[in-house]
């Protein structure tokens, strides 16, 4: 099966047998990787050939072996190619603080973060260190320098790689994903002390961000985490990949720029109040999801049914 425009499409008339699926999957692994797979029952890897690059997960499903393969672009997409709002370029040009790209699984968060890194790399003499699991897009040095580190190959974990990155003279640090409290705390501290930090986070909407981050912290650390987040957060881009009328996909996104009002909310209140900041912040470049979806609908890019389905989650 291929996923095309968000839908699963069969590409062969006959189904693979369990034996065929196992053989195809295990042929992708070395002997050492196969042993690791049998030990852990899951294995993630990257492969590349002359045609492209692939992110692969091999696992057990109902007791049988199967693979999920993601085909990756051979180069980072630009902010303009993704049709992201202009304010995204502004966030990429900040010199310090934290910028979060949020959304649920497979909504293009890494692609957006990569486009922002590419924008910095193409326009500024800055040193960028990325910590990824695995590396999905390979950057080439342009005006700046990009040094990419992969978990398991170049560093042991996100938080150990992040600690090391602070000693590597970075202007920008990009963290593939915030997965634990230690990583979150170090990232916020780095952002507060003069480094521009990008990261992605699984959240269903911007107004859930505070609760999501606080869920990692102990009760005694909640106040400190709120303070660090209020002082360091520059902005958030929350996005959804939605199907277009021509069978493709486009990003719809809402963007929050952290103002003094937003900082006060982060320090004292729940994330629900952040929505009012976005709704009243249009002159600062902020965008609501409803505005983004409506723009795509008016341009004829998406259907009315799709627009209604996405909008219903944000009204």
């Amino acid at each position: 099966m291929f996923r095309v425009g968000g839908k699963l499409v069969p590409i062969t008339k006959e189904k693979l047998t369990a034996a065929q699926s196992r053989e195809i999957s295990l042929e992708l692994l070395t002997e050492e990787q196969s042993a690791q797979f049998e030990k852990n029952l899951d294995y993630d890897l990257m492969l590349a050939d002359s045609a492209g690059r692939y992110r692969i997960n091999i696992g057990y499903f109902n007791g049988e072996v199967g693979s999920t393969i993601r085909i990756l672009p051979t180069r980072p997409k630009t902010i303009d190619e993704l049709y992201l709002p202009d304010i995204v370029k502004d966030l990429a040009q900040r010199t310090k603080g934290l910028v979060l790209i949020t959304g649920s699984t497979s909504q293009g968060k890494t692609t957006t973060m990569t486009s922002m890194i590419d924008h910095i790399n193409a326009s500024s003499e800055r040193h960028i260190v990325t910590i990824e699991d695995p590396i999905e897009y390979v950057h080439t040095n342009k005006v700046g320098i990009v040094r990419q580190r992969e978990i398991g190959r170049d560093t042991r974990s996100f938080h150990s790689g992040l600690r090391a990155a602070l000693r590597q003279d970075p202007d920008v640090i990009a963290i593939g994903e915030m997965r634990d409290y230690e990583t979150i705390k170090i990232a916020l501290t780095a952002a507060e002390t003069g480094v521009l930090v990008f990261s992605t986070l699984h959240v269903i909407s911007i107004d859930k961000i505070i609760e999501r981050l606080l869920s990692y912290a102990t009760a005694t650390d909640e106040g400190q985490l709120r303070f660090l987040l209020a002082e360091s957060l520059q902005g958030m881009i929350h996005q959804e990949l939605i199907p277009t009328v021509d069978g493709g996909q486009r990003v719809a996104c809402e963007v929050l720029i952290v103002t003094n009002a937003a900082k006060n909310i982060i320090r004292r209140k729940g994330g629900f109040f952040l929505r009012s900041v976005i709704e009243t912040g249009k002159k600062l470049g902020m965008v609501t999801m409803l505005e983004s979806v409506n723009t795509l609908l008016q341009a004829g890019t998406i259907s009315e049914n799709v627009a209604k389905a996405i909008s219903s989650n944000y009204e």
Side-chain angles (χ1 to χ4, degrees):
M1 307 286 280
F2 276 8
R3 187 180 291 278
V4 181
K7 297 180 180 179
L8 289 173
V9 180
I11 57 160
T12 58
K13 291 181 179 179
E14 297 180 4
K15 295 179 181 179
L16 293 177
T17 66
Q20 288 172 324
S21 178
R22 180 184 181 89
E23 181 181 1
I24 291 169
S25 299
L26 295 185
E27 278 185 356
L28 300 172
L29 301 177
T30 64
E31 286 187 19
E32 183 181 345
Q33 290 170 334
S34 292
Q36 197 70 30
F37 166 64
E38 295 298 348
K39 178 182 176 182
N40 297 329
L41 305 182
D42 285 291
Y43 197 85
D44 290 307
L45 73 152
M46 291 287 303
L47 287 179
D49 58 23
S50 58
R53 303 178 70 250
Y54 314 92
R55 179 175 178 174
I56 303 168
N57 172 270
I58 299 175
Y60 277 92
F61 306 89
N62 293 334
E64 305 294 350
V65 178
S67 303
T68 305
I69 302 173
R70 182 176 294 182
I71 303 171
L72 302 174
T74 54
R75 64 167 181 82
K77 288 182 178 290
T78 66
I79 291 173
D80 291 335
E81 286 173 329
L82 296 176
Y83 298 97
L84 294 168
D86 290 340
I87 192 64
V88 173
K89 291 181 181 178
D90 178 67
L91 285 171
Q93 292 297 340
R94 301 289 173 101
T95 56
K96 62 180 180 179
L98 174 67
V99 177
L100 288 175
I101 299 97
T102 66
S104 54
T105 303
S106 300
Q107 298 303 312
K109 298 186 296 296
T110 300
T111 303
T112 293
M113 184 169 74
T114 301
S115 74
M116 296 175 80
I117 294 167
D118 182 68
H119 182 74
I120 298 168
N121 184 28
S123 59
S124 305
E125 295 177 339
R126 292 203 267 177
H127 179 207
I128 305 159
V129 177
T130 75
I131 307 158
E132 304 170 71
D133 181 24
I135 291 171
E136 291 194 15
Y137 297 85
V138 176
H139 292 272
T140 55
N141 294 335
K142 297 178 181 178
V143 177
I145 298 172
V146 184
R147 300 167 77 192
Q148 297 178 260
R149 308 191 76 204
E150 185 167 289
I151 304 298
R153 184 191 69 184
D154 304 312
T155 187
R156 292 195 179 278
S157 65
F158 278 114
H159 66 256
S160 64
L162 183 52
R163 283 187 186 279
L166 293 174
R167 299 189 292 270
Q168 293 163 355
D169 189 35
D171 298 300
V172 180
I173 298 175
I175 310 162
E177 185 182 343
M178 286 187 169
R179 293 181 180 174
D180 55 68
Y181 182 56
E182 188 69 17
T183 301
I184 292 168
K185 194 163 65 172
I186 301 169
L188 290 171
T189 304
E192 190 190 22
T193 54
V195 177
L196 180 61
V197 179
F198 294 101
S199 191
T200 70
L201 192 68
H202 291 297
V203 182
I204 60 171
S205 66
I206 277 181
D207 52 23
K208 301 293 184 185
I209 187 69
I210 299 174
E211 290 82 353
R212 175 67 168 160
L213 287 172
L214 291 180
S215 70
Y216 288 100
T218 62
T220 55
D221 287 338
E222 181 177 318
Q224 183 191 16
L225 188 62
R226 278 183 178 272
F227 175 80
L228 286 173
L229 186 62
E231 292 304 307
S232 62
L233 188 63
Q234 294 289 312
M236 284 188 284
I237 303 159
H238 179 79
Q239 62 184 55
E240 295 201 25
L241 269 181
I242 56 179
T244 59
V245 294
D246 62 2
Q249 289 180 301
R250 279 277 289 274
V251 171
C253 66
E254 56 183 354
V255 182
L256 168 73
I257 302 300
V258 177
T259 60
N260 287 331
K263 288 183 179 183
N264 288 331
I265 290 169
I266 293 168
R267 288 191 195 102
R268 300 183 180 90
K269 298 181 181 180
F272 174 79
F273 295 96
L274 291 174
R275 189 148 308 279
S276 63
V277 175
I278 302 173
E279 289 169 354
T280 58
K282 193 169 184 178
K283 64 180 181 295
L284 297 176
M286 296 191 224
V287 182
T288 68
M289 184 63 77
L290 293 177
E291 288 170 341
S292 183
V293 169
N294 193 47
T295 299
L296 292 173
L297 177 62
Q298 290 180 344
T301 305
I302 62 174
S303 70
E304 191 170 340
N305 287 340
V306 167
K308 285 181 179 178
I310 300 299
S311 298
S312 64
N313 296 320
Y314 294 89
E315 291 171 343

